Amino acid sequence: MRVHPLHVAANSASSDTLSGVLERIIFLNEENHYTIAEFRPEASDDRVTITGQLPGVQCGETLDLTGTWTRHAQHGDQFKITAFSSKLPSSAYGIRKYLGSGLVPGIGKVYANKIVDAFGTETFRILTEESARLRHVPGIGKKRATAIKQAWDDQRAFRELYIFLQTYGVTNSQCVKLIKHYGGEAKDILVREPYRVAREIDGIGFKTADRIAINLGFANDAPPRLDAGLIYALETLQEEGHTAIREADLVSHAAEMLETQAKFLEPRIDALVESRALSRHQPAGETNPLPGSAFIQLPVLDRAEQKIAEVVARLSQVGSGLPPIKTDAAVEWAEQKAGFEFAEQQRVGLKNALVSKISILTGGPGTGKTTILRALVDILRAKKVRVHLAAPTGRAAQRLAETTGGFASTIHRLLKFDPAKGGFTTNEHQPLSTDFLVVDEASMLDTRLAAALLQAVPARAHLLLVGDTDQLPSVGAGNILKDLIATGAVPVTRLNVIYRQKGQSQIVTTAHAINAGEPTLPPSFDEVDAAQAWSDLNFIVANSAEECLRKVTELCTRFIPRHYAWFNPIKDVQILAPMHKGVAGVGNLNTQLQAALNPRGGPGVRGPAGEYKPGDKVIQLRNNYDKNLFNGDIGAVTAASPEDGTVTADFDGEVHVFDRGELADLAPAYAISIHKSQGSEYPVVIVPLLKAHFMMLQRNLLYTAITRGKKKVFIVGEPAAYGMAVRNNEARDRTTHLKQKIAATAGQTY
């Protein structure tokens, strides 16, 4: 490549400028708009390579660039952009390039040439003001001319909006959403009601709307800002797991976040409650409640909790639809079928499920939950009872089916989500056709999913919730299992005696020791090769993040294949990390393990979270009802097409194709967060554990990670970090209003 005359020394730190035409986009990261492109400076036939963030630009545009020259070891001289401005091309050459880029549907290179041949530098004015003249161009009829005009107007509106929003850091994809939702009114709505956008457009939050509003001159204490800020404050608390907050705490939290005073926020809460944008509940049983003691909720969570309370009351009050069952005889029959006598706790749990319309079974690993579930399903089948089994995740449902011998499904599949209607088709009006519903991994139930599930339970059916209250709480807001137990309104069986493998499982005994707050380290070894292959749990000491990464990689590439040939190091081994960032965080672990375990996967497709090649393990990050895929589902890439940007992946036998726009829903899954592992079990689990993870080191996090291992668990890290996690039992309490609603529905005071 020849060097352009404007080029200054590549090692110069001074800022430089270039003006010219964007010729060709070589690479574009659609997530952060980082671009590598060919650029033709003015009055020159030479090409230079430019790099940097160029959101919203298209080939043919005239760009004014500010930046510095750099030298790339392989690709030579490049112009690194620090700032830019763009304008529509004014030359016939630039217009051909712009229209031929595929930007406007209906105009490719052939029609771009024909249109510019006909109208020259007047092309853009013709498209805007006299589009009927397009029909004089050979090959363009009325239908195509109308489509081109519409596409041009949409693109022009998008461009004007984008230029307007560039100052405020609004992304390309957000602009597309605004145009799609508001059409030509998008700019006017943003200027007049910027906070409306945060309410109505998914993916544009309060912070973006607030940045626009403040720059447009909205006052810091303007009512629209305070209203939007209060709702945003509740939404951020919801993300932390809360469904409610005391009014005084909300005022304090929002005042700090919005940098305003409480006296401005208090009347806005009254106004939002009046308009039903917020719900307020005074403390039960108090005639003169203290100011600020009321609970404030988002209406959607308020309604969900109320529905749960109503179903708990209904199930408790309506008679059973089961055929007559002599519980003592049924338990004895189940014991004979199982070939051993049940422990007293197990008998009580089984009887509670058969007698009570709604009951809870809770306990840690190895305490006999599976024994009870298998016996319960056997008894109900013998009585010809319609039994449904469900769990929040696909892996949990599969495990439930294997242990009980029955058919189990995810809750979303059980309730039949309809993407077109945006809701479940199985609900209180069209309930499940069942006599008995068993829900495993109930600690994962968040408030909204629990409400949808409970409403679908017929009035005369039984409901058994099974879970481990010592695990991490649900990812979504709420604390359903603990709240139901705390009310005393639901019979609870707590299992606390270990039965699995006669107490010899290191995984089980270590998990219970963690729960008991005993920080005694499991058997530990300084080197990977010294680990006891026969043991189901090993602690491998690593005193730095780099050493931890090296030893995790060594386990996956050498130790496990050597000692456990029956385990696939990609499919059967799961790394569960406390944090996403850092050398031993999820992101870097995935990068390093992909290189180590799948180095020759073929050409890949890059998405926001990484590159995908055939053979890679991936995780679905959000519920996609069209694809019947759910947050936490894990699959394997079977094909990747760099040409069209698609990735094909197999999820438990179901093959799905992801286009570029859907790649944000995927992430590499050699390593995942411990939170993402809830409800799943893996043959082999590896847990990096370092003091640098101190922000996340809590007892329930370590307990959850350990109990995900089905056959083998390896903890790799610092002994002090293990002790920190075991001793830290200060998991943040979640504020909810469910207990109060259940008590009120039952006519009690809680």
Side-chain angles (χ1 to χ4, degrees):
M1 182 184 73
R2 289 183 295 168
V3 178
H4 188 263
L6 289 176
H7 177 209
V8 296
N11 60 1
S12 171
S14 62
S15 187
D16 204 9
T17 60
L18 280 181
S19 294
V21 176
L22 184 66
E23 287 286 325
R24 182 169 73 96
I25 294 175
I26 299 169
F27 170 80
L28 170 63
N29 183 325
E30 295 182 3
E31 182 71 11
N32 60 15
H33 308 294
Y34 178 80
T35 306
I36 302 173
E38 276 188 7
F39 185 76
R40 183 167 69 97
E42 289 177 346
S44 174
D45 292 329
D46 290 329
R47 304 289 189 274
V48 298
T49 300
I50 59 174
T51 66
Q53 289 183 312
L54 289 173
V57 300
Q58 300 293 335
C59 293
E61 288 191 47
T62 298
L63 304 180
D64 293 324
L65 308 176
T66 301
T68 56
W69 287 97
T70 62
R71 181 177 292 278
H72 189 280
Q74 183 178 352
H75 301 295
D77 296 328
Q78 298 180 344
F79 190 79
K80 187 176 181 181
I81 303 161
T82 55
F84 82 99
S85 63
S86 69
K87 52 182 178 284
L88 286 174
S90 55
S91 68
Y93 173 85
I95 295 171
R96 288 181 200 275
K97 200 80 177 171
Y98 186 78
L99 289 180
S101 67
L103 174 71
V104 181
I107 304 180
K109 289 183 179 179
V110 173
Y111 280 107
N113 286 330
K114 288 183 178 182
I115 292 170
V116 178
D117 285 343
F119 305 120
T121 56
E122 289 283 287
T123 295
F124 290 151
R125 187 187 65 78
I126 298 297
L127 287 171
T128 303
E129 301 173 6
E130 302 177 44
S131 60
R133 291 176 60 185
L134 285 170
R135 295 173 63 185
H136 300 313
V137 177
I140 297 182
K142 182 178 179 180
K143 187 175 180 180
R144 186 183 290 271
T146 301
I148 290 173
K149 167 64 174 172
Q150 182 63 49
W152 173 251
D153 286 347
D154 289 346
Q155 175 58 27
R156 195 159 53 93
F158 169 77
R159 182 181 178 80
E160 289 176 0
L161 181 64
Y162 189 83
I163 292 170
F164 168 73
L165 291 175
Q166 267 187 321
T167 311
Y168 311 117
V170 177
T171 67
N172 207 9
S173 60
Q174 289 173 331
C175 283
V176 172
K177 289 179 180 179
L178 287 165
I179 292 288
K180 188 174 181 180
H181 193 83
Y182 297 122
E185 295 182 284
K187 184 177 177 181
D188 289 338
I189 288 171
L190 277 169
V191 171
R192 287 186 286 104
E193 303 177 84
Y195 295 104
R196 173 180 166 187
V197 173
R199 295 194 308 270
E200 296 180 355
I201 307 292
D202 184 35
I204 298 182
F206 170 79
K207 288 186 177 179
T208 300
D210 195 42
R211 188 165 58 242
I212 295 170
I214 295 296
N215 279 280
L216 288 171
F218 274 70
N220 200 53
D221 55 357
R225 180 174 189 266
L226 300 181
D227 291 356
L230 283 163
I231 291 172
Y232 174 67
L234 279 168
E235 288 171 345
T236 58
L237 290 165
Q238 177 183 329
E239 290 172 3
E240 294 174 12
H242 307 287
T243 66
I245 184 173
R246 294 283 186 179
E247 187 167 344
D249 294 332
L250 174 60
V251 169
S252 175
H253 177 67
E256 181 180 352
M257 184 188 75
L258 298 171
E259 297 180 346
T260 189
Q261 298 177 50
K263 66 180 182 180
F264 296 127
L265 289 165
E266 288 160 355
R268 297 317 308 163
I269 293 179
D270 292 335
L272 289 168
V273 170
E274 180 69 24
S275 67
R276 298 187 179 181
L278 294 180
S279 300
R280 176 190 272 141
H281 296 280
Q282 296 294 347
E286 296 185 23
T287 53
N288 294 303
L290 293 172
S293 61
F295 285 97
I296 302 295
Q297 293 188 277
L298 293 169
V300 64
L301 294 173
D302 180 27
R303 288 193 297 270
E305 286 185 341
Q306 187 58 44
K307 288 292 185 182
I308 293 170
E310 291 170 1
V311 174
V312 169
R314 183 186 73 205
L315 289 176
S316 302
Q317 294 163 6
V318 177
S320 171
L322 297 184
I325 298 176
K326 296 178 180 178
T327 54
D328 288 334
V331 170
E332 288 180 12
W333 175 85
E335 287 178 323
Q336 291 173 359
K337 194 172 190 300
F340 59 90
E341 287 188 10
F342 300 157
E344 184 57 31
Q345 284 182 338
Q346 293 173 315
R347 291 194 191 95
V348 170
L350 192 50
K351 290 178 182 178
N352 275 345
L354 291 169
V355 172
S356 304
K357 290 287 299 310
I358 176 171
S359 60
I360 292 173
L361 178 65
T362 182
T367 56
K369 296 193 299 294
T370 298
T371 298
I372 296 175
L373 290 179
R374 190 182 297 119
L376 176 64
V377 171
D378 286 343
I379 292 169
L380 295 174
R381 278 179 167 174
K383 287 290 186 177
K384 304 291 190 280
V385 171
R386 295 174 300 173
V387 185
H388 281 69
L389 308 172
T393 68
R395 285 175 178 258
Q398 183 180 354
R399 191 171 70 249
L400 180 60
E402 290 169 354
T403 56
T404 61
F407 173 78
S409 68
T410 64
I411 294 170
H412 286 85
R413 291 188 177 103
L414 179 72
L415 300 182
K416 299 174 184 173
F417 188 87
D418 183 352
K421 294 181 180 178
F424 295 107
T425 57
T426 302
N427 48 45
E428 60 185 329
H429 305 295
Q430 293 181 294
L432 291 164
S433 298
T434 190
D435 301 312
F436 206 115
L437 174 62
V438 177
V439 181
D440 199 8
E441 297 289 354
S443 63
M444 294 181 65
L445 286 175
D446 62 56
T447 300
R448 296 176 70 172
L449 183 59
L453 177 67
L454 266 63
Q455 287 179 82
V457 179
R460 292 176 63 80
H462 284 234
L463 172 65
L464 173 62
L465 299 174
V466 184
D468 184 348
T469 55
D470 294 314
Q471 283 189 33
L472 289 168
S474 60
V475 175
N479 213 358
I480 300 300
L481 195 61
K482 283 188 175 180
D483 280 352
L484 287 174
I485 292 171
T487 63
V490 179
V492 178
T493 304
R494 297 177 186 272
L495 305 176
N496 51 31
V497 178
I498 303 173
Y499 301 102
R500 188 191 294 181
Q501 297 179 13
K502 299 182 180 179
Q504 297 306 304
S505 166
Q506 277 286 330
I507 294 174
V508 173
T509 54
T510 300
H512 284 274
I514 290 169
N515 250 353
E518 298 173 10
T520 306
L521 201 67
S524 59
F525 308 93
D526 289 331
E527 296 300 329
V528 170
D529 285 340
Q532 297 171 334
W534 53 266
S535 177
D536 65 352
L537 188 142
N538 284 276
F539 192 107
I540 298 170
V541 176
N543 292 310
S544 70
E546 290 74 17
E547 185 182 359
C548 177
L549 173 62
R550 177 177 63 80
K551 289 182 175 179
V552 168
T553 305
E554 195 176 330
L555 278 169
C556 294
T557 56
R558 289 201 307 107
F559 187 89
I560 290 170
R562 181 193 303 162
H563 292 282
Y564 319 113
W566 52 92
F567 289 142
N568 182 308
I570 294 179
K571 182 181 177 182
D572 296 325
V573 178
Q574 188 61 61
I575 290 82
L576 303 179
M579 296 184 73
H580 284 272
K581 296 182 179 179
V583 173
V586 170
N588 190 52
L589 281 164
N590 272 315
T591 300
Q592 302 304 321
L593 289 168
Q594 181 188 48
L597 295 173
N598 192 26
R600 296 182 297 277
V605 173
R606 182 161 292 279
E611 187 179 19
Y612 305 104
K613 301 180 295 182
D616 281 336
K617 182 157 67 169
V618 291
I619 186 169
Q620 176 77 10
L621 298 178
R622 71 173 186 90
N623 292 341
N624 185 324
Y625 300 103
D626 293 324
K627 280 184 161 59
N628 208 27
L629 287 175
F630 302 97
N631 186 357
D633 285 353
I634 287 181
V637 175
T638 56
S641 173
E643 292 77 20
D644 57 17
T646 59
V647 171
T648 305
D650 184 315
F651 288 81
D652 292 328
E654 293 184 10
V655 177
H656 300 279
V657 178
F658 298 81
D659 59 31
R660 284 194 189 278
E662 295 173 316
L663 290 182
D665 295 347
L666 288 181
Y670 296 92
I672 63 174
S673 70
I674 296 171
H675 283 83
K676 284 285 186 188
S677 73
Q678 287 176 267
S680 297
E681 276 188 345
Y682 312 94
V684 181
V685 161
I686 301 174
V687 185
L689 203 66
L690 299 165
K691 288 187 291 185
H693 299 151
F694 71 93
M695 291 284 291
M696 300 296 294
L697 292 181
Q698 293 180 335
R699 186 181 298 175
N700 61 354
L701 188 86
L702 180 58
Y703 173 80
T704 300
I706 297 293
T707 55
R708 300 308 90 205
K710 196 172 182 180
K711 299 292 184 181
K712 303 288 178 181
V713 171
F714 296 88
I715 305 172
V716 183
E718 297 169 287
Y722 183 89
M724 288 167 64
V726 174
R727 284 189 290 268
N728 181 11
N729 197 31
E730 297 178 3
R732 185 177 297 177
D733 289 333
R734 294 184 168 193
T735 303
T736 70
H737 197 251
L738 178 60
K739 297 188 294 289
Q740 292 86 339
K741 287 185 175 72
I742 290 175
T745 306
Q748 303 169 354
T749 299
Y750 188 89

